Amino acid sequence: MATKNDQRFWLAAGLAVVLLSLVPKLYATFSAPLWLDEAYTVWFSNQTFVDLWTWVPTFESHPPLYYSFMKMLTILPFSEGIVFRLASLVCNMVTIVAAAVLVRKIGIQENAEHRFHVFFVVLFVSLHPELTWYASEARPYAYEIMMISLCMLSAYDIGNAPENAGFGKWLQFSVLVALLNYAHYSAPLFGLSFYIYLFACNLARGGNVKAFGMLIASGVLVTILCAPMLYFVAKQVMNWSGGSWVEESSMRYVITKVYTIGKLGYFNQVLLERGWTLLCYAAIVIVYLKNIRALGSALALCLLLIALAPTAMYLVTLLGPNIFLPRLIVPLALPFGVLIAVALVKVRNRYIVTVLCCVTAASFAFQTYTMMTEKPKGGYLRAFSVALQEEYQPDDLLLFLPNSLELPLSLELEGLKNVPLDRVALPHVYPAIGVSDFYPAGTPSVPGLTEADADLIKAKIGSRNRVLVLTRIEELFDPSSVLRRTLAEMGFRSVRSMGEDIRPLYFDVYER
């Protein structure tokens, strides 16, 4: 067993890693303006609880529980965006602790002589670039990942001896899965993984009838608790008209994205990156093969989480709308980290683990720095705000498409008292439910432009001689170029276009 001095060393090392990981997370939390998706969180959190649970789900694909939690935080005397991001950071810290507790528990069961495994999972979860990114974002993903970590801990505890698990453990597990399911419309796929895992664990241990009964009862309870959310999710999927705004999925595309989440190196040289990752995982496979009886349960839990959700999303894409988005599989970083850490339970060579930890930490830190500097959160909105102040003239009209740009614009332009700008959402103010039959992104609150909207544009402009145009994904929301064609018909021409620093937005100045 590990000595007390050894335990103190790894504890101190783990705490140091966690503290260092806070630097980029806190920097992103406080320095960057809110971007489009985060502005949704602010808007939803300002709705009433009744609207959040009855009206909002009719057009918003994310379940309302996360927004309800955020609404409760609005009572705090701080900026909503900062508070919401700090809530994600707290979720990230809980995830790190839960992962460490799970891996430590496995190490104790296997009489590990060290704490390499606990330190590695802390390092992996603390520094993983994607987990770092979402730890400082006012979106539900950090909450979802936290709930997955807590469900992993609860499921593994039951799976070790399902025949001895009492009512309290099953109830706790059921509540955690229900809270997970309400995190995101894709979360039930992760929840299903836990039920398959527990079924397999009980079957492997002789098929205890009582445990099967508790498993079924838990499933029924979770289904009842999640019935409203499952209804709205099914309705959203059936009404998802395209998903053409994301890359069409193929099996190769899905596997590539899963690999990106689980890889152990971010190097400029692709061959070096892939070679190092494959070498590490080959060694991990050998460790598991040699210790399959001891580590099989943890292996099954991690592999189910890694495989089921992306496979199910791909199958839905084949049969219907394309629902696969790379960010939906970011939670896979957690089981990847646990998978590697559990293998280290059986590794006694301190030098091997040191090299693995150093390379992982260095490459993760490099990638995090790259992500934070190359695509800062909301940076394009701040750049647009600066450009707008430079271009603004009295009597200017700002037309923007899609209408959802109103959410971040209202936050970003709130402090521009010297720019009393008239702005008009096209074709209708958000959320434009039931006013169109053209929703190219599949969201029944964000319509695109049709030929019928040309007269509306002309009426909004009236006799003005200068119009500012802000668009995003114009080929999706205005495939027939109704807006620019109408401007040309009215005698307007583009005199200036803003540069690359506001991408993915496009900002043009039109004059007659």
Side-chain angles (χ1 to χ4, degrees), residues 172-487:
Q172 177 194 61
F173 170 74
S174 302
V175 172
L176 289 173
V177 172
L179 291 172
L180 166 62
N181 287 347
Y182 272 103
H184 194 273
Y185 71 81
S186 63
L189 297 175
F190 293 105
L192 179 61
S193 301
F194 294 114
Y195 281 97
I196 296 175
Y197 165 74
L198 290 175
F199 177 83
C201 285
N202 190 44
L203 198 63
R205 295 175 67 89
N208 182 270
V209 176
K210 176 187 172 184
F212 278 134
M214 295 298 285
L215 183 67
I216 294 171
S218 172
V220 171
L221 176 61
V222 169
T223 301
I224 293 172
L225 291 174
C226 298
M229 186 271 299
L230 294 174
Y231 166 76
F232 283 118
V233 167
K235 191 173 180 180
Q236 287 280 344
V237 171
M238 287 187 293
N239 292 336
W240 195 315
S241 60
S244 55
W245 57 288
V246 294
E247 184 175 343
E248 189 67 27
S249 300
S250 65
M251 180 55 74
R252 181 178 180 179
Y253 177 75
V254 173
I255 292 173
T256 300
K257 294 304 177 182
V258 172
Y259 164 80
T260 301
I261 298 296
K263 66 183 179 182
L264 283 168
Y266 290 83
F267 308 109
N268 289 329
Q269 295 292 330
V270 175
L271 290 179
L272 179 61
E273 173 189 292
R274 293 179 180 175
W276 168 253
T277 299
L278 291 174
L279 176 64
C280 291
Y281 277 109
I284 290 165
V285 168
I286 292 173
V287 172
Y288 274 108
L289 289 176
K290 288 184 175 180
N291 302 276
I292 192 65
R293 290 180 64 86
L295 305 180
S297 179
L299 176 65
L301 176 58
C302 293
L303 289 182
L304 272 171
L305 286 168
I306 291 169
L308 182 64
T311 301
M313 292 177 198
Y314 174 67
L315 292 175
V316 172
T317 298
L318 288 180
L319 300 173
N322 180 18
I323 67 167
F324 182 85
L325 299 172
R327 64 174 175 265
L328 300 186
I329 61 170
V330 168
L332 299 185
L334 181 61
F336 268 119
V338 172
L339 179 76
I340 301 165
V342 169
L344 296 181
V345 169
K346 297 298 182 179
V347 176
R348 294 177 174 81
N349 190 312
R350 184 185 294 263
Y351 298 105
I352 292 176
V353 178
T354 300
V355 170
L356 175 64
C357 290
C358 288
V359 174
T360 301
S363 64
F364 278 11
F366 169 76
Q367 180 63 13
T368 297
Y369 174 79
T370 302
M371 291 172 63
M372 294 292 183
T373 54
E374 287 188 355
K375 54 171 186 176
K377 301 175 189 290
Y380 54 87
L381 288 170
R382 185 64 50 82
F384 165 71
S385 176
V386 172
L388 181 63
Q389 292 182 76
E390 295 174 351
E391 284 293 336
Y392 170 73
Q393 294 181 13
D395 201 41
D396 277 352
L397 174 68
L398 174 64
L399 300 175
F400 57 89
L401 175 77
N403 63 354
S404 55
L405 285 176
E406 170 66 24
L407 307 183
L409 283 177
S410 62
L411 299 173
E412 184 63 29
L413 302 182
E414 187 176 335
L416 302 183
K417 305 301 182 184
N418 60 328
V419 184
L421 182 70
D422 289 336
R423 58 181 188 263
V424 173
L426 294 178
H428 304 280
V429 67
Y430 181 90
I433 304 170
V435 299
S436 174
D437 57 1
F438 179 47
Y439 297 101
T443 303
S445 56
V446 186
L449 284 180
T450 65
E451 297 293 342
D453 296 313
D455 290 338
L456 180 145
I457 295 171
K458 293 176 181 178
K460 295 291 184 183
I461 295 175
S463 60
R464 297 176 193 255
N465 292 317
R466 232 174 82 103
V467 175
L468 310 180
V469 175
L470 181 69
T471 60
R472 177 175 180 263
I473 323 181
E474 198 169 335
E475 67 276 10
L476 179 68
F477 292 101
D478 188 11
S480 300
S481 298
V482 173
L483 173 58
R484 298 190 188 275
R485 183 155 36 85
T486 301
L487 288 170

Side-chain angles (χ1 to χ4, degrees), residues 41-42 44-49 52-53 63-76 80 83-85 87-88 91 139-140 142-144 146-147 150 175-176 178-184:
T41 300
V42 174
F44 291 135
S45 67
N46 284 313
Q47 307 306 309
T48 67
F49 284 113
L52 268 176
W53 286 86
L65 183 64
Y66 169 78
Y67 300 122
S68 298
F69 288 150
M70 295 303 101
K71 181 173 180 61
M72 296 176 192
L73 295 179
T74 57
I75 63 172
L76 298 175
E80 291 174 336
V83 170
F84 296 165
R85 283 180 173 176
S88 292
C91 290
R139 296 292 283 149
Y143 166 75
E144 179 185 14
M146 177 188 72
M147 293 313 306
L150 295 175
V175 172
L176 289 173
L179 291 172
L180 166 62
N181 287 347
Y182 272 103
H184 194 273

